[in-house]
Amino acid sequence: MKMLVTGGSRGIGANIVVDGAKRGHDIVFTYVSDENAARDVIRLIDDIQAEGTVDYLRLDVRDSTAVAEVVEQATDLLGGIEVLVNNAGITRDGPAIAMTDEDWRDVIDTNLSGTFYLCRAVLPQMIDAGFGRIVNVSSLGHVGSSGQANYSASKAGMNGLTRTLAKEYGRKGITVNAVVPGFFETDMTRESLPQELRDFWGNYCPMPEGRPGRLSELSALVEYLISPEAAFINGQTIHATGGLDWGP
Ligand code: NAI
C-alpha cells in the first residue's frame, strides 16, 4: 500500500515505517527537526533490504499550509496516498492550574489540529479513489490522566474526530480508526514519563511482570487495520494496553 506516516523518524512512528517497509508497503514519512534520525530510518531500511520504498519529508503538523504542501509532495512521490497514519504527538505535562497557554496550545495544535489537517488534506483523493485507510495514534490519556489536561483533551478529541470521519466517509470506502497505545518504551516516555507512572504500570498492567508493550505489537495492529480483512472495522478506538485501560 502507499502510506504517509507522520512523526516517523523515531519511536512508534519509526517502527511503523520500518515494519511497514518490511511488509512491502511504499512509505513517505515525515520528521519535524531531526533529519539525521530520518536518515537513520532510511539506512536501517536499506540494511534490511526491505521490500517497500521509503522517503521522508519535513513537516510541522501544526502548520496547515505546510500539511497541504507535504500531502501534495507525498502524493507525487507515491503516486497517491492510500493509507494515512497520524502518529506525530507531544506531551507538555503539568497540573492544569499551572499550565501555560503555550503548553496547552502546542499539544492541542500538534496532536488534534495536526491530525485534522492531515485527514482533511488526504481525504479528497481517497474519496476519488473510493478507498482509504486512516489510523490515528491516540493514547490511554484519553480516559483522563492527572497532569495531562492538554494531552488528555487532545487524544479524546482525536477519538471524536476518528468516529466522525468514519461516519462521514465510510460510504466512500474509507475507514478511520484510532489505536490506543498503553506504555511503550520510546524517547517520549523515557524523557517525560515520571517514575511513579512506570511503577503504576509495572504494578497494575495484567501482563507478565507488568511489561510494557512491544513496538512490533503496535505496528501489527496498524497492519491489521489497513488490511482487506479489517474493511468492516470503522470508527473504532482499539486499545493495545495489555489490559490496563485506566490511569491514575
Ligand atoms: P516520540 O516523541 O518518540 O515520537 C513523536 C514523533 O512526533 C516524533 O517523530 C516527533 O518528531 C513527531 N512530532 C512532534 N511534534 C511534531 C510536529 N509539530 N510536527 C510533526 N511531527 C511532530 O513519541 P512516541 O512514544 O513514539 O509517540 C508516538 C505517538 O504515540 C504519539 O502520538 C504519542 O502521543 C502516542 N503514544 C505513545 C505512547 C508511549 O507509550 N510511547 C503511549 C500512548 C500514546
Side-chain angles (χ1 to χ4, degrees):
M1 295 251 242
K2 299 164 182 178
M3 298 175 64
L4 174 61
V5 179
T6 65
S9 55
R10 65 182 213 176
I12 288 172
N15 193 69
I16 290 170
V17 171
V18 172
D19 285 356
K22 272 189 214 162
R23 292 179 168 114
H25 301 302
D26 296 325
I27 303 174
V28 171
F29 72 88
T30 71
Y31 74 98
V32 66
S33 56
D34 190 351
E35 189 170 0
N36 285 332
R39 275 199 211 104
D40 287 345
V41 171
I42 299 275
R43 230 170 271 134
L44 179 60
I45 286 164
D46 286 345
D47 286 351
I48 58 178
Q49 298 182 323
E51 226 178 283
T53 64
V54 180
D55 273 302
Y56 63 78
L57 295 168
R58 205 193 92 73
L59 174 65
D60 184 335
V61 298
R62 294 172 298 180
D63 178 347
S64 67
T65 307
V67 166
E69 286 166 6
V70 162
V71 165
E72 216 175 292
Q73 289 168 34
T75 303
D76 289 344
L77 284 168
L78 292 166
I81 298 170
E82 297 171 297
V83 176
L84 167 65
V85 180
N86 282 302
N87 163 77
I90 57 168
T91 53
R92 297 281 182 272
D93 295 353
I97 56 169
M99 193 168 280
T100 62
D101 290 1
E102 199 187 353
D103 284 350
W104 172 264
R105 259 198 308 263
D106 268 357
V107 171
I108 298 292
D109 288 356
T110 306
N111 301 2
L112 180 56
S113 303
T115 300
F116 170 67
Y117 299 148
L118 262 301
C119 291
R120 185 179 60 183
V122 162
L123 276 164
Q125 62 172 286
M126 292 182 170
I127 292 168
D128 285 348
F131 178 84
R133 296 279 175 267
I134 298 179
V135 179
N136 295 325
V137 182
S138 181
S139 166
L140 197 47
H142 81 96
V143 300
S145 173
S146 304
Q148 295 193 308
N150 47 5
Y151 187 71
S152 174
S154 74
K155 295 297 187 177
M158 270 177 97
N159 296 353
L161 176 66
T162 299
R163 285 192 289 274
T164 298
L165 296 180
K167 288 182 178 177
E168 283 188 17
Y169 303 106
R171 282 177 180 264
K172 305 288 183 189
I174 298 162
T175 66
V176 188
N177 292 290
V179 296
V180 172
F183 168 36
F184 289 73
E185 281 286 358
T186 64
D187 291 329
M188 176 189 271
T189 48
R190 270 188 289 275
E191 284 160 13
S192 67
L193 194 75
Q195 188 57 43
E196 68 204 61
L197 282 184
R198 283 171 189 279
D199 294 344
F200 169 80
W201 193 269
N203 289 334
Y204 293 104
C205 181
M207 281 281 119
E209 286 146 30
R211 74 165 174 90
R214 298 183 181 117
L215 292 177
S216 59
E217 292 167 335
L218 210 49
S219 61
L221 177 56
V222 172
E223 180 65 17
Y224 172 64
L225 287 173
I226 68 175
S227 72
E229 290 74 20
F232 205 55
I233 314 288
N234 192 20
Q236 301 307 303
T237 300
I238 300 172
H239 285 211
T241 60
L244 181 55
D245 291 333
W246 47 279

